[in-house]
Amino acid sequence: MKASPSEAVGRAYCSTANLGAGYDVFGLALDKYSDTVQVRLTQDRRIRIVATGPYGRSLPRDPRKNSAGPPSLALLKRARAKRGLVIIINKNVPPGLGLGSSGATSAACTKTLDDLLDLKLSNDDLVETASLGEKAVSGSAHADNVAASLLGGFTAVYDIPRRVTSLKPTSRLTAVVATPRLKTQPNKTQKARSLVPKKVETKKAVLNVGRASAIVAGFATGNIDMIGAGMRDEIAEPYRESMIPGCADVKRLALEAGAAGVSISGAGPSLIALLDRTRYDPGPIGRAMVAGFAKNNVRSTWFVARPAIGATIIRKG
Ligand code: HSE
């Protein structure tokens, strides 16, 4: 009889969340950075986390505080596996920039362990499980980043219990991400979330639902202008802009340079502009965003990214 594999390696890409109107709902996987996670089943019942790679040092090793920990525990329980794990994270997604760093680790680990334990979870269950990792890190089980990192392309999470849907973006879609060099804020996501008011006026909710609908329609039909038009928000961004000096200037200049839309990427501080690469060059948009920050005495860098595929298993055995 063939022994079942005791080790697997998976990868998940980074992502941007919200896209303006889709606070805690929309995600878009980006091909700039990815985390790989090697999961090995052991005989004891412990979960050990080893972190390597350029950002490995920044990760907590305590499984309760690392975004790989809670999803792993949940999956072992679900499989009724009386086993432990060694999880080796190769951390390439920079944390604290608004690029779904914790979500990428959580998604890679969830995908890999689902495969290793042969659970064959539905996409809804994978996303719900991976969101437990976000809860460990930021105190909230938002699932927008993990959905994008798990499924790839554009994703939307909705309903209670949570469900997820995804769309493959047009190949013309390109992103420019500009990141200000600000002092690292401990618990940045938690702080950014605490700024969002608990109640929303109907007028603002109506505006957001309309714009979010435009974003979904834009992804479904490959209409990048429509996606861009929806990338404005009444619920979270107006209250978070104070955390990002120059935010309004960066947005304005990116739009003037040809971006279809601009929003804060996740909880920030990066801003993301989307464009149609057959009509505009990312260069002037990236430079305009950097100029927007410079106008506010903030140094910044920018990069170009394209939509990424979902989490994959690289090796098993
Ligand atoms: N939707 C989340 C937020 C993403 O904006 O707080 C954070 O990773």
Coordinates of all heavy atoms in Angstrom, one line a residue, residues 17-18 22-26 98-102 134 138 140 142-145 188-190 192-193 196 236 240 265-268, ligand 1:
A17 N -7.0 44.6 -1.1 CA -8.4 44.4 -0.6 C -9.1 45.7 -0.8 O -8.6 46.8 -0.8 CB -8.4 44.0 0.8
N18 N -10.4 45.6 -0.8 CA -11.4 46.7 -0.8 C -11.7 47.3 -2.2 O -12.9 47.5 -2.6 CB -11.0 47.8 0.2 CG -10.8 47.4 1.6 OD1 -11.3 46.3 2.0 ND2 -10.1 48.1 2.4
G22 N -15.6 48.2 -2.0 CA -15.8 46.9 -1.5 C -15.1 46.6 -0.2 O -14.5 45.5 -0.1
Y23 N -15.3 47.5 0.8 CA -14.6 47.3 2.1 C -15.0 45.9 2.7 O -16.2 45.6 2.8 CB -15.1 48.4 3.0 CG -14.6 48.3 4.5 CD1 -13.2 48.4 4.7 CD2 -15.4 48.1 5.5 CE1 -12.7 48.3 6.0 CE2 -14.9 48.0 6.8 CZ -13.6 48.0 7.1 OH -13.1 47.9 8.3
D24 N -13.9 45.1 2.9 CA -14.1 43.8 3.5 C -14.7 42.8 2.6 O -15.1 41.7 3.0 CB -14.8 43.8 4.9 CG -13.9 44.2 6.0 OD1 -12.7 44.4 5.8 OD2 -14.4 44.2 7.2
V25 N -14.9 43.2 1.3 CA -15.7 42.3 0.4 C -14.8 41.9 -0.8 O -14.6 40.8 -1.2 CB -17.0 43.0 -0.1 CG1 -17.6 42.2 -1.3 CG2 -18.0 43.2 1.0
F26 N -14.2 43.0 -1.5 CA -13.4 42.7 -2.7 C -12.0 42.5 -2.4 O -11.3 43.1 -1.6 CB -13.5 43.9 -3.7 CG -14.9 44.2 -4.2 CD1 -15.2 45.5 -4.7 CD2 -15.9 43.2 -4.3 CE1 -16.5 45.7 -5.2 CE2 -17.1 43.4 -4.8 CZ -17.4 44.7 -5.2
G98 N -0.2 46.9 3.2 CA -1.5 46.9 2.7 C -1.6 45.9 1.5 O -2.4 46.1 0.6
L99 N -0.7 44.9 1.5 CA -0.7 44.0 0.4 C -1.1 42.6 0.8 O -0.7 41.6 0.1 CB 0.7 44.0 -0.3 CG 1.1 45.3 -0.9 CD1 2.6 45.2 -1.3 CD2 0.2 45.5 -2.2
G100 N -1.9 42.5 1.8 CA -2.4 41.2 2.3 C -1.3 40.2 2.6 O -1.4 39.0 2.3
S101 N -0.3 40.7 3.4 CA 0.8 39.8 3.7 C 0.4 38.6 4.6 O 0.6 37.5 4.3 CB 1.9 40.6 4.4 OG 3.0 39.8 4.8
S102 N -0.4 38.9 5.7 CA -0.8 37.8 6.6 C -1.8 36.9 5.8 O -1.8 35.7 6.0 CB -1.5 38.4 7.8 OG -2.5 39.3 7.5
E134 N -6.4 35.7 9.8 CA -6.5 37.1 9.9 C -7.0 37.6 11.3 O -6.5 38.6 11.8 CB -7.5 37.7 8.8 CG -7.1 37.4 7.4 CD -6.0 38.4 6.9 OE1 -5.0 38.6 7.7 OE2 -6.0 38.9 5.8
S138 N -5.1 40.4 13.3 CA -5.6 41.8 13.4 C -6.9 41.9 14.3 O -7.5 42.9 14.4 CB -6.0 42.3 12.0 OG -7.2 41.6 11.5
S140 N -9.7 40.6 13.6 CA -10.9 40.6 12.8 C -10.8 39.5 11.7 O -9.7 39.5 11.0 CB -11.3 41.9 12.2 OG -11.5 41.9 10.9
H142 N -11.7 39.3 8.7 CA -12.1 39.7 7.4 C -11.5 38.7 6.4 O -10.4 38.2 6.6 CB -11.7 41.1 7.1 CG -10.2 41.4 7.3 ND1 -9.7 41.7 8.6 CD2 -9.2 41.4 6.5 CE1 -8.4 41.8 8.5 NE2 -8.1 41.6 7.2
A143 N -12.2 38.5 5.3 CA -11.8 37.4 4.4 C -11.4 37.9 3.0 O -11.2 37.1 2.1 CB -12.9 36.4 4.3
D144 N -11.4 39.2 2.8 CA -11.2 39.7 1.4 C -9.8 39.4 0.8 O -9.7 38.9 -0.3 CB -11.4 41.2 1.3 CG -10.9 42.1 2.5 OD1 -10.3 41.5 3.4 OD2 -11.2 43.3 2.5
N145 N -8.7 39.5 1.7 CA -7.4 39.2 1.2 C -7.2 37.7 1.0 O -6.7 37.2 0.0 CB -6.3 39.7 2.2 CG -6.1 41.2 2.1 OD1 -6.4 41.9 3.1 ND2 -5.6 41.7 1.0
K188 N -1.1 48.0 12.7 CA -1.7 49.0 11.7 C -3.1 48.7 11.3 O -4.0 49.5 11.3 CB -0.7 49.1 10.5 CG -1.1 50.0 9.5 CD -1.4 49.5 8.1 CE -1.2 48.1 7.8 NZ -1.5 47.6 6.5
T189 N -3.3 47.4 10.9 CA -4.7 47.0 10.4 C -5.7 47.3 11.5 O -6.8 47.8 11.3 CB -4.7 45.6 9.9 OG1 -3.7 45.5 8.9 CG2 -6.0 45.2 9.4
Q190 N -5.4 46.8 12.7 CA -6.3 47.0 13.9 C -6.6 48.5 14.0 O -7.8 48.9 14.2 CB -5.6 46.5 15.1 CG -6.5 45.8 16.0 CD -5.8 45.0 17.1 OE1 -4.5 44.8 17.0 NE2 -6.4 44.5 18.1
A192 N -6.3 50.9 11.7 CA -7.1 51.4 10.6 C -8.6 51.0 10.7 O -9.5 51.7 10.3 CB -6.5 50.9 9.3
R193 N -8.8 49.8 11.2 CA -10.2 49.3 11.3 C -10.9 50.0 12.4 O -12.1 50.2 12.3 CB -10.2 47.8 11.6 CG -9.6 47.0 10.5 CD -9.7 45.5 10.7 NE -11.1 45.0 10.6 CZ -11.7 44.8 9.4 NH1 -11.1 45.0 8.3 NH2 -12.9 44.3 9.4
V196 N -12.9 53.2 11.3 CA -14.1 53.0 10.5 C -15.3 53.1 11.4 O -15.5 52.3 12.4 CB -14.1 51.7 9.7 CG1 -15.3 51.6 8.9 CG2 -12.8 51.6 8.9
A236 N -15.0 53.5 4.6 CA -13.7 53.4 5.3 C -12.7 54.5 4.9 O -12.0 55.1 5.8 CB -13.1 52.0 5.1
R240 N -9.7 57.0 7.0 CA -8.4 56.4 7.0 C -7.3 57.3 6.4 O -6.1 57.1 6.5 CB -8.3 55.1 6.3 CG -9.0 54.0 7.1 CD -9.1 52.7 6.4 NE -9.3 51.6 7.3 CZ -9.3 50.3 6.9 NH1 -9.1 50.0 5.6 NH2 -9.6 49.3 7.7
S265 N -4.9 50.6 -0.7 CA -4.8 49.1 -0.8 C -5.0 48.5 0.6 O -4.2 48.7 1.4 CB -3.5 48.8 -1.4 OG -3.4 47.4 -1.6
G266 N -6.1 47.8 0.7 CA -6.4 47.2 2.1 C -6.4 48.3 3.1 O -7.0 49.3 2.9
A267 N -5.7 48.1 4.2 CA -5.7 49.0 5.3 C -4.6 50.1 5.1 O -4.3 50.8 6.0 CB -5.5 48.3 6.6
G268 N -4.0 50.1 3.9 CA -2.9 51.0 3.6 C -1.6 50.6 4.2 O -1.5 49.5 4.8
Ligands
HSE1 N1 -10.6 44.9 4.4 C1 -9.5 45.0 5.3 C2 -9.4 46.4 5.8 C3 -8.2 44.6 4.7 O1 -9.5 47.3 5.0 O2 -9.3 46.6 7.0 C4 -7.1 44.7 5.7 O3 -6.1 43.7 5.4

